[in-house]
Amino acid sequence: MNWSWSTLQDFLPSFWDGVLVTLQALVLGSLIAFVLGLFWALAQRSSLKVVRWPVTAVTEFLRNTPLLVQLFFIFYVLPEWGLTLSALTTGVVGLGLHYSTYTAEVYRAGIDGVPAGQWEAATALSLPRSRTWTAVILPQALRRVVPALGNYVIAMLKDSPMLMTIGVLEMLGEARQFGSQTFHMNEPIVLVGIAFILIAYPASLLLRALERRLVR
């Protein structure tokens, strides 16, 4: 494999721009996924069918359609209906919406894992329903699901190159653009691959350590 250090040096400024865009999309997308996923999970437990059924339908649709199709829909179809978003905003919203359906299942499992005795104790103390959720159920459920939520952040990182298809120049997008302009693909692609490993693998180790700590 031909390797040019000068080519690598020329790519570095674009590479760092791509890293910043990737991290921005990852952080903002994760926040949307975490908050919206909790909303989905709580809404699906509602006793009102008018709330539960539409939420279930939306989450099932988002979970069972490809992320790429959802990105294209937001970026290309919604403008026809009067809603136009920038490429990066589309990427953030798309990642957040798609992964919120998975985090919703994580939250659901965490809530279902809270011992029945905790619900009974809250009832015996005559705690209001809102107080039961905020002070008793959710703190225990969230403690259980933190490692699983972290796994979806890593999955979101690995899906971030899909944003390139709508014009977001994240790491792989910058590498592809640089390669098309200079006809040197080896250096940028290898560097991007290493960057994904350097971000994802340490994060996975931290999640394992966190999981061991939380289950003590």
Side-chain angles (χ1 to χ4, degrees):
M1 180 179 68
N2 294 326
W3 187 270
S4 171
W5 289 108
S6 62
T7 299
L8 185 61
Q9 291 174 342
D10 291 340
F11 173 61
L12 281 177
S14 299
F15 168 73
W16 289 120
D17 289 341
V19 170
L20 291 176
V21 171
T22 298
L23 293 178
Q24 184 179 356
L26 179 64
V27 171
L28 295 178
S30 297
L31 289 175
I32 293 175
F34 292 163
V35 174
L36 191 57
L38 182 58
F39 170 79
W40 296 142
L42 295 178
Q44 287 178 322
R45 297 181 67 90
S46 173
S47 58
L48 300 175
K49 293 181 180 179
V50 70
V51 173
R52 187 173 67 251
W53 286 5
V55 168
T56 300
V58 169
T59 55
E60 288 297 324
F61 175 81
L62 292 174
R63 188 184 302 116
N64 290 287
T65 54
L67 172 60
L68 187 58
V69 173
Q70 294 169 18
L71 291 173
F72 279 14
F73 180 85
I74 296 171
F75 193 66
Y76 294 111
V77 177
L78 288 187
E80 299 292 331
W81 298 347
L83 180 58
T84 301
L85 302 177
S86 68
L88 181 57
T89 302
T90 297
V92 169
V93 172
L95 285 172
L97 281 175
H98 186 74
Y99 276 93
S100 69
T101 62
Y102 294 99
T103 60
E105 287 300 301
V106 172
Y107 287 127
R108 182 193 60 78
I111 293 170
D112 290 344
V114 176
Q118 298 296 308
W119 295 91
E120 295 168 358
T123 301
L125 293 172
S126 300
L127 292 180
R129 186 172 179 80
S130 59
R131 181 67 175 168
T132 298
W133 277 104
T134 58
V136 180
I137 305 303
L138 286 182
Q140 296 183 63
L142 294 178
R143 183 173 179 270
R144 297 166 180 267
V145 303
V146 167
L149 292 177
N151 288 332
Y152 281 115
V153 174
I154 295 176
M156 200 180 304
L157 170 67
K158 292 189 290 185
D159 274 347
S160 64
M162 288 191 185
L163 305 189
M164 175 181 60
T165 61
I166 57 172
V168 178
L169 293 180
E170 39 67 62
M171 288 191 290
L172 188 60
E174 290 284 5
R176 185 173 181 272
Q177 179 172 270
F178 180 85
S180 65
Q181 293 172 347
T182 64
F183 302 102
H184 290 279
M185 292 297 295
N186 291 338
E187 297 85 352
I189 294 299
V190 170
L191 182 59
V192 168
I194 293 173
F196 273 107
I197 294 173
L198 291 179
I199 296 173
Y201 185 64
S204 66
L205 294 179
L206 288 174
L207 287 172
R208 292 174 192 172
L210 180 61
E211 183 174 8
R212 288 193 296 268
R213 184 178 181 84
L214 290 177
V215 297
R216 288 178 181 175

